[in-house]
Amino acid sequence: MKYIVVLADGMADEPIEAFNGLTPAMAAHKPVMDAMCKQAATGLVHTVPQGFHPGSEIANMNILGYQPSKYFEGRGVLEAAALGIESEPDELVFRCNLVSVEENILINHSAGHISTAEADEIIQTLNSELGSEKIKFYTGTSYRHILVIKGANKNVKCTPPHDHPGKPAHPLFPTAESPDADDTAKLLSELMDKSLKILANHPVNVKRRADGKKCADSIWPWSPGYRPAFPSFKERFGMDSGAVISAVDLIHGIGKLAGLESVFVEGATGLHDTNYEGKAAGALDALQKHPFVFLHVEAMDEAGHEGDYQLKKRVIEDFDSRLLKPLWDGLNKMGEPFTFLLLPDHPTPCNLRTHTMEPVPFFMIKPGLDADSVDSFNEETVKNGSLGEILGENILDMFFK
Ligand SMILES: [Zn+2]
């Protein structure tokens, strides 16, 4: 038996006025998804546990059977895992943005979407000026990097920089949530202040300023956590091995911690111009090697964040004709029984341009599981599905059982 999960990030939505009250999934022409749905049992799944924000990392961990209340430590460790950084149990891992700060105002969270090559020069300077046995910076992608501090205390409150553009920077600096974290909060604030001085006339910034671009003026560490001890996917579900295909670091990080292989597909951008055919081919290839594949597609989520419902409808149609079609044909030609699950991780309604907590539609095709009467796949139809409403943390147990 082969097992494949296709995760359509942010596909679920709300009624759109310009579509006469239809959602993008209802308005889209998606004959393959609907044909698959006819052979499937359907339902609604609560992917985000109560008390958590509806982030993709939370929803995807939960769907993969790792309950966030037990295993979520922070974004930093997930991204560090994706980069292959092996942190020790006493090392606290932060996501470390490069941000733009002008006259003590946090201008933006991304240093004007600095390139990875420029950022790498900055990270190297930070390591030589501020790094030590205890403090290490690692280059990630664009403005998204990693800071590891040995012996630091996790009880520090760090502010996500993207939540506060245009606000004075210093009042947003890390603070201790308990007295034993005072030293860590102080150290973080010192590192941030020192980075401002070190980076003020860094050659990369001098050039960016001359080109009229935003600068990498400061580091901004946040989302601290220790490396979580995930039970492996084999321990969790008895699968000998599996692969994760995604354009998103966080998803690969979750996969790495679960002991799944990371597969990268050329041209997978995470946007509407992604290599849909390549992802389908990558998944079919990976299924030759592994019994399980988790195929993540980001493009719908990005269209939702842009608030572009026409784009979202088109992305769903492309996903249908260019990814699901070849994948479905390939699975049926494989000559082996398979179990198939399709679901979004959370809604990203175009009207809100951010994620919500609402349950999302899913369908499951599995030998021995009877199809229900739902014959087109969207937020409304699945309310009549035979699988009812389930919790995200149980969906793979149901899938593998
Ligand atoms: Zn999103």
Side-chain angles (χ1 to χ4, degrees):
M1 177 77 79
K2 298 287 185 184
Y3 296 88
I4 179 156
V5 175
V6 175
L7 193 124
D9 199 306
M11 184 168 75
D13 209 300
E14 292 176 2
I16 308 266
E17 221 181 281
F19 292 152
N20 294 320
L22 302 181
T23 67
M26 291 174 194
H29 178 63
K30 48 177 181 41
V32 183
M33 209 185 300
D34 289 341
M36 291 171 77
C37 183
K38 280 195 184 87
Q39 303 183 31
T42 64
L44 279 171
V45 51
H46 292 262
T47 52
V48 181
Q50 286 300 325
F52 282 87
H53 70 279
S56 283
E57 72 282 22
I58 298 294
N60 279 279
M61 272 180 77
N62 199 40
I63 290 165
L64 280 164
Y66 299 97
Q67 283 168 264
S69 57
K70 275 196 209 155
Y71 300 110
F72 182 69
E73 275 281 325
R75 207 177 250 260
V77 276
L78 297 177
E79 290 180 3
L83 292 168
I85 300 165
E86 297 276 343
S87 56
E88 301 294 326
D90 67 336
E91 290 182 324
L92 192 62
V93 182
F94 297 82
R95 153 66 91 76
C96 185
N97 284 39
L98 291 175
V99 300
S100 302
V101 176
E102 291 169 17
E103 295 174 17
N104 192 36
I105 299 294
L106 176 60
I107 300 291
N108 78 38
H109 69 283
S110 67
H113 288 272
I114 190 166
S115 72
T116 301
E118 289 171 297
D120 186 45
E121 283 187 49
I122 296 218
I123 294 293
Q124 286 185 35
T125 301
L126 291 168
N127 260 328
S128 64
E129 302 272 335
L130 300 174
S132 65
E133 270 299 288
K134 217 181 116 180
I135 298 168
K136 291 193 181 86
F137 294 90
Y138 294 89
T139 304
T141 304
S142 178
Y143 62 91
R144 306 185 300 271
H145 308 284
I146 302 292
L147 167 62
V148 178
I149 305 181
K150 200 174 182 64
N153 190 298
K154 201 181 106 171
N155 293 330
V156 279
K157 186 173 182 296
C158 297
T159 315
H162 50 262
D163 285 348
H164 302 276
K167 296 278 158 53
H170 271 101
L172 301 171
F173 274 26
T175 51
E177 289 182 308
S178 63
D180 54 351
D182 280 343
D183 288 349
T184 299
K186 203 167 143 243
L187 173 63
L188 289 167
S189 295
E190 275 170 21
L191 289 172
M192 290 166 84
D193 275 331
K194 284 182 184 166
S195 74
L196 265 169
K197 293 202 181 79
I198 292 164
L199 298 179
N201 291 307
H202 191 283
V204 166
N205 281 336
V206 170
K207 171 116 193 350
R208 287 183 69 83
R209 209 168 286 130
D211 294 344
K213 293 177 180 165
K214 293 269 175 283
C215 294
D217 300 298
S218 174
I219 58 164
W220 198 283
W222 60 286
S223 202
Y226 302 108
R227 188 183 173 91
F230 277 34
S232 69
F233 213 68
K234 184 169 172 60
E235 290 167 308
R236 185 69 182 78
F237 297 109
M239 283 290 109
D240 281 331
S241 69
V244 168
I245 302 175
S246 176
V248 177
D249 292 347
L250 277 169
I251 307 295
H252 283 293
I254 295 166
K256 284 254 175 81
L257 288 170
L260 301 170
E261 187 198 349
S262 275
V263 173
F264 295 93
V265 169
E266 211 177 312
T269 58
L271 299 171
H272 62 87
D273 61 355
T274 197
N275 181 2
Y276 295 101
E277 293 84 357
K279 287 188 105 158
L284 290 167
D285 257 10
L287 281 174
Q288 297 300 318
K289 215 172 131 190
H290 302 288
F292 171 67
V293 170
F294 186 80
L295 174 59
H296 171 266
V297 181
E298 172 77 359
M300 306 80 179
D301 182 57
E302 292 296 331
H305 285 297
E306 284 175 29
D308 189 338
Y309 46 82
Q310 293 292 0
L311 177 65
K312 191 162 179 182
K313 172 173 171 272
R314 181 158 63 84
V315 166
I316 294 170
E317 291 174 346
D318 285 346
F319 168 70
D320 190 79
S321 62
R322 295 174 53 193
L323 190 152
L324 283 183
K325 170 101 174 59
L327 180 61
W328 186 236
D329 289 348
L331 286 170
N332 284 299
K333 276 191 207 129
M334 204 169 48
E336 218 185 308
F338 59 86
T339 297
F340 188 103
L341 169 65
L342 185 137
L343 78 169
D345 50 352
H346 51 67
T348 309
C350 292
N351 289 333
L352 303 173
R353 303 183 61 173
T354 189
H355 308 170
T356 67
M357 298 285 290
E358 295 304 304
V360 296
F362 73 95
F363 72 70
M364 199 181 286
I365 297 171
K366 182 176 168 148
L369 178 66
D370 289 338
D372 59 26
S373 62
V374 177
D375 58 5
S376 78
F377 184 65
N378 63 57
E379 298 83 349
E380 279 304 312
T381 50
V382 302
K383 289 179 181 167
N384 301 314
S386 59
L387 297 176
E389 272 191 50
I390 65 168
L391 293 179
E393 65 193 68
N394 298 331
I395 197 162
L396 283 203
D397 288 310
M398 185 190 243
F399 178 71
F400 285 120
K401 198 172 69 188

